[in-house]
């Protein structure tokens, strides 16, 4: 049997495991994750009010319940835990599907002021990621600025405008729900440095903003008109053309009175976060203009937008994993068709898939062909890999070394605890928000 470790249980990890067991009946796979819960960004990145996308967990669950796949949660890879070298000793092959774990920064003065956060930190909080901090994101805020015009920016904008009635049926942790219910944020500006034809959000996500109860969406027609493609979007790809059509509708319809106001802004580049009493109070933007080459240039004209809460959503970046090569320019592990390269040479038995392989691009489904390419490479190498002697059961060796993974029954116990918590609060499933409660649930007795 070929023993493979897949590090990461998000979509790329699960699709890698699925492809392995589908293509080779002599492969067994351990899917390792540092968290006690599987599914990665599907659990901790998809907005709680997007139930249809979150239901992808059911597909990933089928993979992790396969008879030749084993989930091992709570296993940290790296310094002070299981070194990558040791992992290679325990398995014939290791596939790293560790994603892109940090955010890009704006690199402007005031970015680190209290009240300024990455969108990912905000998402982690309302998604109950156990590493999240509750530092009163919305406490005392009246106005919010979201910097970025991708789907994550749309998500956080929408959650800020949602009411308790819409969020209560979700699995959002109780602390976040309570805080958002008490929020006094009424004005939200979502701002992009380029034009509407270059925005990264999908039309479905964009239009959803217009369906929010008691919420008015406004777009400045003069800002839209700065985009050369706005007047005649016929030459644009279909997704961008549909975005323009949706924005045009809002620009041409009269503004309504509503409890929440969402303003979509374009051609504004953040240059500084301004403080008042030691807390962020506004964002200073420079007006930009198209440079004729697909980018923008500054005009020297500035505008300050009030904000006691600033969320930056300008992309993700991979981080090095000790023991693996890393290209800081791309934020990825160098590879050849998924085979890890060390100083330009293929490293036998080491592979990558997902964002750490190709960068933070694409949608969830993009991980499937990416994983398939890596698995094809691995199975081409299998005859040589399987000659190396490894323990019959790597888990026994891990336990001998003090590692106590959360196996599938432990994850099922977490699910039961979250259902019981929801019932006790008069809600549906409610996520456990911290390491202590997750591990206590995982180690509780079986039903």
């Amino acid at each position: 049997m070929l023993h493979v470790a897949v590090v990461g249980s998000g979509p790329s990890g699960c699709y890698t495991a699925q492809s392995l067991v589908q293509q080779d009946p002599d492969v067994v796979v351990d899917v390792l994750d540092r968290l006690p819960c599987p599914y990665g960004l599907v659990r901790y990145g998809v907005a709680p009010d997007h139930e249809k996308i979150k239901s992808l967990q059911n597909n990933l669950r089928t993979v992790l319940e396969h008879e030749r796949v084993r989930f091992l949660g709570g296993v940290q890879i790296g310094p002070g835990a299981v070194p990558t070298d040791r992992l290679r000793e325990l398995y014939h092959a290791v596939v790293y599907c560790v994603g892109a774990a940090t955010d890009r920064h704006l690199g402007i003065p005031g970015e680190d002021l209290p009240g300024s956060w990455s969108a990912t930190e905000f998402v982690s909080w309302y998604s109950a990621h156990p590493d999240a901090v509750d530092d009163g994101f919305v406490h005392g805020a009246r106005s919010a600025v979201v910097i970025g015009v991708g789907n994550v920016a749309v998500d956080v904008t929408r959650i800020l405008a949602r009411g308790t009635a819409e969020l209560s049926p979700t699995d959002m942790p109780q602390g976040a729900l309570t805080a958002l219910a008490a929020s006094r944020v009424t004005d939200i500006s979502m701002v992009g440095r380029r034009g509407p034809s270059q925005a990264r959000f999908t039309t479905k996500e964009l239009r959803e903003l217009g369906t929010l109860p008691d919420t008015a969406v406004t777009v400045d027609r003069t800002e839209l008109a700065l985009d050369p493609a706005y007047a005649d979007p016929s030459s644009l790809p279909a997704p961008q053309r549909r975005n323009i059509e949706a924005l045009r509708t809002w620009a041409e319809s009269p503004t309504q009175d509503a409890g929440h106001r969402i303003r979509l802004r374009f051609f504004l580049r953040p240059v500084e976060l301004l403080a008042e009493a030691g807390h962020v109070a506004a964002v200073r933007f420079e007006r930009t203009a198209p440079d004729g080459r697909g980018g923008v240039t500054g005009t020297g004209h500035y505008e300050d937008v009030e904000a006691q809460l600033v969320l930056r959503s300008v992309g993700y970046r991979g981080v090095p994993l000790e023991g693996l090569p890393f290209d800081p320019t791309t934020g990825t592990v160098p590879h050849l068709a998924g085979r890890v390269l060390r100083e330009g040479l293929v490293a036998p038995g080491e592979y990558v898939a997902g964002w750490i392989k190709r960068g933070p691009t694409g949608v969830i489904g993009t991980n499937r062909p990416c994983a398939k390419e890596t698995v094809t490479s691995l199975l081409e190498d299998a005859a040589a890999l399987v000659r190396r002697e490894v323990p019959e059961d790597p888990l026994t060796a891990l336990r001998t070394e003090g590692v106590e993974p959360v196996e599938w029954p432990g994850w099922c116990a977490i699910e039961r605890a979250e259902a019981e918590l929801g019932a006790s609060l008069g809600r549906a499933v409610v996520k456990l928000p911290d390491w202590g409660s997750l591990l206590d649930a995982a180690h509780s007795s079986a039903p």
Side-chain angles (χ1 to χ4, degrees):
M1 299 291 282
L2 181 68
H3 292 259
V4 180
V6 172
V7 181
S9 65
S12 63
C14 286
Y15 291 148
T16 297
Q18 182 180 49
S19 189
L20 281 165
V21 296
Q22 284 180 343
Q23 293 188 50
D24 192 329
D26 293 322
V27 174
V28 290
V29 183
D30 282 349
V31 178
L32 284 61
D33 202 296
R34 75 177 189 87
L35 298 176
C37 309
Y39 312 137
L41 280 179
V42 177
R43 176 174 167 90
Y44 289 118
V46 175
D49 59 340
H50 275 179
E51 286 298 325
K52 185 174 181 181
I53 303 175
K54 287 176 72 67
S55 68
L56 178 62
Q57 291 183 12
N58 297 329
N59 300 60
L60 304 184
R61 182 186 197 92
T62 301
V63 176
L64 295 175
E65 289 182 331
H66 190 281
E67 62 182 0
R68 286 185 283 121
V69 176
R70 178 168 59 180
F71 173 69
L72 302 177
V75 180
Q76 179 78 38
I77 307 301
V82 181
T84 53
D85 287 349
R86 180 57 176 149
L87 207 58
R88 278 288 291 118
E89 293 171 355
L90 296 175
Y91 295 89
H92 293 117
V94 182
V95 187
Y96 295 93
C97 307
V98 292
T102 191
D103 297 89
R104 294 185 181 276
H105 289 262
L106 299 169
I108 61 175
E111 186 171 8
D112 295 326
L113 282 168
S116 169
W117 303 89
S118 73
T120 300
E121 290 171 308
F122 187 61
V123 171
S124 293
W125 170 66
Y126 69 60
S127 297
H129 194 292
D131 290 340
V133 294
D134 180 2
D135 268 0
F137 289 94
V138 295
H139 181 71
R142 303 177 304 279
S143 301
V145 166
V146 179
I147 299 172
V149 282
N151 279 346
V152 174
V154 176
D155 278 348
V156 299
T157 296
R158 189 182 66 254
I159 293 296
L160 283 170
R162 280 278 193 210
T164 310
E166 298 112 66
L167 293 177
S168 185
T170 73
D171 62 5
M172 179 179 284
Q174 189 65 27
L177 179 65
T178 301
L180 288 167
S183 168
R184 298 176 62 190
V185 173
T186 55
D187 289 86
I188 309 157
S189 298
M190 187 171 73
V191 187
R193 64 184 177 88
R194 297 194 292 179
S197 67
Q198 296 167 308
R200 304 296 296 271
F201 43 61
T202 57
T203 311
K204 182 179 179 181
E205 291 261 355
L206 177 65
R207 285 177 173 158
E208 195 173 356
L209 295 177
T211 68
L212 299 175
D214 195 29
T215 301
V217 181
T218 63
V219 190
D220 188 327
R221 193 184 309 183
T222 60
E223 288 184 350
L224 297 182
L226 292 173
D227 191 330
Y230 175 69
D232 181 14
S234 59
S235 61
L236 291 173
Q240 284 81 5
R241 188 169 65 249
R242 289 192 291 266
N243 285 345
I244 292 285
E245 291 166 357
L247 293 166
R248 189 190 299 275
T249 300
W250 285 323
E252 295 174 354
S253 62
T255 303
Q256 319 161 30
D257 289 330
H260 290 98
R261 291 174 292 279
I262 296 174
R263 296 180 175 89
L264 304 180
R265 306 291 308 273
F266 298 95
F267 291 110
L268 290 172
R269 176 169 60 199
V271 294
E272 185 177 1
L273 270 57
L274 307 177
E276 183 177 296
H279 192 280
V280 68
V283 184
R284 177 161 293 167
F285 290 96
E286 181 183 15
R287 171 67 65 193
T288 62
D291 64 5
R293 301 184 299 275
V296 292
T297 185
T299 64
H301 297 283
Y302 298 89
E303 175 183 345
D304 294 349
V305 178
E306 179 189 348
Q308 298 79 38
L309 171 63
V310 177
L311 300 172
R312 68 172 185 274
S313 180
V314 291
Y316 299 95
R317 183 171 178 78
V319 296
L321 181 62
E322 187 169 313
L324 280 185
F326 186 75
D327 183 346
T329 304
T330 60
T332 61
V333 171
H335 71 93
L336 178 65
R339 297 178 177 94
V340 171
L341 296 176
R342 292 183 180 272
E343 299 180 352
L345 300 176
V346 169
E350 294 182 306
Y351 303 85
V352 284
W355 279 2
I356 200 63
K357 171 187 174 184
R358 67 180 191 275
T361 60
V363 295
I364 290 174
T366 312
N367 290 293
R368 195 182 289 275
C370 173
K372 187 174 181 180
E373 178 191 55
T374 296
V375 168
T376 298
S377 295
L378 192 159
L379 293 179
E380 286 173 355
D381 304 339
L385 295 172
V386 78
R387 294 193 195 108
R388 189 168 57 83
E389 191 171 331
V390 299
E392 185 175 343
D393 185 1
L395 180 54
T396 302
L398 287 171
R399 284 186 170 139
T400 301
E401 295 165 18
V403 179
E404 284 297 333
V406 173
E407 297 186 70
W408 194 251
W411 160 240
C412 293
I414 291 173
E415 289 185 303
R416 289 194 300 274
E418 292 184 336
E420 291 166 4
L421 176 60
S424 72
L425 294 168
R427 298 172 56 195
V429 171
V430 174
K431 284 182 182 173
L432 298 173
D434 58 81
W435 281 96
S437 57
L438 287 168
L439 293 176
D440 286 347
H443 297 139
S444 64
S445 58

